[in-house]
Amino acid sequence: MDVVKLLNKAIKKRGDYDADIMAVVNDTVGTMMTCGFDDQRCEVGIIIGTGTNACYMEELRHIDLVEGDEGRMCINTEWGAFGDDGSLEDIRTEFDREIDRGSLNPGKQLFEKMVSGMYMGELVRLILVKMAKEGLLFEGRITPELLTRGKFETKHVSAIEKSKEGLSKAKDILTRLGVEPSHEDCIAVQHVCTIVSFRSANLIAATLGGILARLRDNKGVPRLRTTVGIDGSLYKMHPQYSRRLHKTVRRLVPDCDVRFLLSESGSGKGAAMVTAVAYRLAEQRRQIDETLEEFSLTHEQLLEVKRRMRIEMESGLKKKTHEIAKVKMLPTFVRSTPDGTENGDFLALDLGGTNFRVLLVKIRSGKRRTVEMHNKIYAIPVDVMQGTGEELFDHIVHCISDFLDYMGIKGARLPLGFTFSFPCKQTSLDAGILLTWTKGFKATDCEGEDVVSLLREGIKRREEFDLDVVAIVNDTVGTMMTCAYEDPNCEIGLIVGTGSNACYMEETKNIEMVDGDEGRMCVNMEWGAFGDNGCLDDIRTKYDKAVDELSLNSGKQRYEKMISGMYLGEIVRNILIDFTKRGFLFRGQISEALKTTSIFETKFLSQIESDRLALLQVRSILQQLGLNSTCDDSIIVKEVCGVVSRRAAQLCGAGMAAVVDKIRENRGLDHLDVTVGVDGTLYKLHPHFSRIMHQTVTDLAPKCNVSFLLSEDGSGKGAALITAVGCRLRDAEHN
């Protein structure tokens, strides 16, 4: 039975007090803990009293019964049962066997019966009886007292072995047994007592030697310095026992420096120590749970996020509120998804992060539609990202020039689509004014300027080639177009990668910033800025606020900072720093790595949360990041990553639910079937993000049947398709 349950039951039955049982403690462990409080080196506990037992700190990796492999755990050896398998038969005597036969548990605890206080006096009595029978003692006199079990006690052994008054004690004790001892009898009995108690000390020294050798090997050190906590009446009361034990231990394990520490009330103070540690850990767990609870959002809270997104969308579409709206709902002048007749060779540029791509895309229409792509990737150095606008565009044009040479197509004036993944206010398909830089870009003299003009001027400055810039494309729109080429039902684009954004096909009549009421137009929501007016403050945590304050664009893109890859790792890092400061993690030590912004990349979050990973692998990822974690640390880190990415997926799903319901209502439908084209590393790589997001959309927009299609290169192929559709519509107008 579980003793804790039994105790709880008895406490309940009384009903006059309450107790929170934190720990079940073995007395050897209590002994070790008590001594450990006074001496940090103490890692072994021994009891030598009525019974005997030992415990020691073993490496977790060697304990197969417990999951985990980092750190140590105290093992209660229950060494009294040593020899129960027959391994001590060669040193057990007839007296040991006789004691065992007469015991309550024959065949069990054989080692304990050779060494502990409960049996020591009895062993001496049996030897004395045999010697008397053989006429070696008491002139062969045997009394009923001498034949009675338990008449010769261990305390008698201790008394007889005292150096000064030992012999007179022997005389008193033996006289009480009625055997009328001579002086020689007293010396002989003292000798028997010494032999029995010395054997006990030697056997304990040998088994303890085994534990010490193991500790030394576990640590891989040539010399071990350690402390052994000891308790028990035999060790404490017997005049010679402790000295003999210490001496034999030092002889058996000469490469260990052992300090023996007498425990003060191990089973009391020690149990309190274990309980205090358990209580500290339980309290820590409660605080961790309380902190992470802020990240879990109820169905009602998510519905509220959806409702607020809808309000912000309306505000961005309406003329009178557009200026102050945070979710800008920018018209893209993309009025149609591909119809399959697109044809020709197109250039695409893709600028959206630290890399810049130039592509040649060959689109072939007809029965077997094909898209063939060639591309080259160029790095954008930080000093260019954060230098002047002219330097940035000169660098871009230099890369284009290199690509045209590489492909051997410098002569042709190809139509070009420019994927520019930053918030732009478009006034036509080929004109876009940069509203603000995001994602770490800070080039001067660009905000408020037409990006296409900046590109055209850069091309002019170089005077090497000419291009027909047909379209400036936001990457979400490119993503939607790529998927729409495969699935005509696709009318929404979503990106969840470094940043996050969405676009969808809105009724032109609802877009008050654009003239005309006919047909539809793709709107670039710029939804990352949702919440910048404070409408999400009730669900933002102190960690979200810290991440925002330390970012390049403080106060902006608050929704994006709660859901996208660039920031999730930062939220996690801030929580881990807080937990470390509060002593829950990494032994309270904040490493240099943990102080480094952006060390938790999306790929690390994805790896840590992968179900296939054992804690061991989580630890090795943390080690790569310079974080030395225990198994317990790894569990907490995994949990933190889990709550942060789960909330991100749910918030993203709430935003998407607002979009699909708006499309459904626009069209007056009871039920909408629609496809979302998706791209972005977080969505693609994270083991749970997409599943949780899909589920959230289903829960929050039950009247919509939403499919998700992974985009293959929206910013490259998509830009070319938009350019192709643009050329097709332009030609149609001219004809």
Side-chain angles (χ1 to χ4, degrees), residues 640-654:
V640 169
C641 293
V643 298
V644 171
S645 64
R646 180 180 182 80
R647 183 189 67 162
Q650 289 177 323
L651 285 173
C652 185

Side-chain angles (χ1 to χ4, degrees), residues 625-659:
L625 300 176
L627 301 170
N628 280 323
S629 73
T630 64
C631 252
D632 288 342
D633 290 341
S634 307
I635 292 168
I636 294 173
V637 170
K638 190 166 180 168
E639 210 178 326
V640 169
C641 293
V643 298
V644 171
S645 64
R646 180 180 182 80
R647 183 189 67 162
Q650 289 177 323
L651 285 173
C652 185
M656 188 44 70
V659 175

Side-chain angles (χ1 to χ4, degrees), residues 23 61 140 145 163 178 204 238 302 311 316 353 432 592 608 629 643 691:
R61 62 176 187 271
E145 286 85 357
S163 43
I204 296 272
H238 191 287
L302 290 167
I311 292 169
E592 282 310 308
I608 287 172
S629 73
V643 298
R691 177 179 52 79

Side-chain angles (χ1 to χ4, degrees), residues 52-53 78-84 88 91-92 96 108-116 119 199-200 202-208:
T52 182
N53 193 9
E78 287 297 338
W79 78 8
F82 178 32
D84 289 6
L88 295 177
I91 59 170
R92 285 175 76 229
D96 295 308
K108 302 246 171 81
Q109 302 292 101
L110 297 184
F111 178 69
E112 182 169 77
K113 286 169 185 165
M114 294 167 79
V115 300
S116 79
Y119 305 99
R199 180 184 74 157
S200 166
N202 281 341
L203 283 172
I204 296 272
T207 44
L208 174 57

